[in-house]
Amino acid sequence: SGSRSSKTFKPKKNIPEGSHQYELLKHAEATLGSGNLRQAVLLPEGEDLNEWIAVNTVDFFNQINMLYGTITEFCTESSCPVMSAGPRYEYHWADGTNIKKPIKCSAPKYIDYLMTWVQDQLDDETLFPSKIGVPFPKNFMSVAKTILKRLFRVYAHIYHQHFDSVMRLQEEAHLNTSFKHFIFFVQEFNLIDRRELAPLHELIEKLGSKDR
């Protein structure tokens, strides 16, 4: 697995083949291939919104995992002593269970906490049921929103602190496409508060204006 693209930060989360969610993922990949991202994020006709959000959340986790995996060597305790997205935004970690009071920590530590926490949510069958017919819990939407809000912070950190490394690795097209897909998705279903998106506001405007 010497190639860069196969390096992920955390183990990839797989959607079981043959499941309905796998079919949905295939649908998402096919529409993405058409190059129209606004079209690609729309809820497929007759599909369950929760399931569509679940499949895409897993997919974004895997994408961010891979993107961050390419730059982990540049994101260190000394290069990034705080988890920030530019000088005006700093994030402190709390998950509400193990760490109740937000703690200040380095970016690699924060992202490790964050991705481990997301992984735990995705692996929880009561939150993200993978079996057909098992209903999503009532709090599913609020959990999904929290996951996506936190995943956004990893994009924000990469853009603000590591974009030069991304350019050197020639990964910027990959990063931009992934982020644009993510933003169109959260905008379509109103999943992240505008205030939370502020660190990348200009980039989001730019990505959106090209598509109108």
Side-chain angles (χ1 to χ4, degrees):
S1 72
S3 82
R4 243 189 7 235
S5 60
S6 67
K7 189 165 105 183
T8 61
F9 179 56
K10 296 263 169 217
K12 194 164 181 275
K13 166 85 180 150
N14 287 317
I15 289 175
E17 265 188 70
S19 68
H20 183 61
Q21 291 185 8
Y22 188 77
E23 297 306 310
L24 274 181
L25 183 65
K26 286 283 159 259
H27 169 89
E29 283 167 1
T31 42
L32 277 175
S34 73
N36 183 339
L37 290 171
R38 287 257 181 238
Q39 206 61 45
V41 298
L42 300 176
L43 178 66
E45 212 174 314
E47 292 299 344
D48 175 52
L49 179 62
N50 284 346
E51 196 149 36
W52 182 237
I53 287 176
V55 165
N56 281 278
T57 300
V58 170
D59 193 38
F60 288 127
F61 169 76
N62 287 334
Q63 286 183 42
I64 293 167
N65 212 344
M66 209 158 79
L67 289 161
Y68 184 68
T70 62
I71 58 118
T72 44
E73 63 200 282
F74 311 109
C75 186
T76 62
E77 300 282 328
S78 55
S79 72
C80 304
V82 294
M83 174 62 180
S84 64
R88 290 173 48 213
Y89 299 97
E90 189 179 304
Y91 300 114
H92 297 176
W93 179 254
D95 57 16
T97 42
N98 301 327
I99 300 171
K100 290 193 167 62
K101 199 165 173 274
I103 56 166
K104 192 171 174 163
C105 54
S106 68
K109 190 102 182 121
Y110 185 100
I111 292 171
D112 189 28
Y113 280 135
L114 186 155
M115 296 301 262
T116 303
W117 176 83
V118 173
Q119 211 174 13
D120 290 344
Q121 311 305 302
L122 299 181
D123 287 340
D124 183 341
E125 279 287 327
T126 64
L127 282 177
F128 280 79
S130 59
K131 293 181 181 59
I132 292 185
V134 177
F136 282 83
K138 286 194 169 52
N139 66 334
F140 172 75
M141 203 55 95
S142 70
V143 172
K145 284 178 174 179
T146 305
I147 290 173
L148 293 164
K149 175 180 81 176
R150 288 177 172 175
L151 288 175
F152 168 81
R153 295 170 181 178
V154 185
Y155 281 119
H157 179 71
I158 293 173
Y159 272 111
H160 276 284
Q161 314 301 131
H162 300 292
F163 197 67
D164 52 344
S165 302
V166 171
M167 301 270 284
R168 279 203 303 278
L169 294 166
Q170 297 181 321
E171 291 277 347
E172 70 269 27
H174 184 178
L175 173 64
N176 289 340
T177 305
S178 172
F179 180 63
K180 189 173 176 178
H181 180 201
F182 178 88
I183 285 301
F184 286 3
F185 188 80
V186 299
Q187 286 174 338
E188 172 67 23
F189 302 106
N190 207 358
L191 298 167
I192 301 182
D193 197 307
R194 280 182 73 101
R195 280 185 322 239
E196 284 285 338
L197 299 173
L200 294 177
H201 171 70
E202 280 157 28
L203 177 64
I204 292 167
E205 288 289 295
K206 207 164 80 181
L207 292 174
S209 64
K210 284 187 190 152
D211 259 76
R212 290 209 173 93

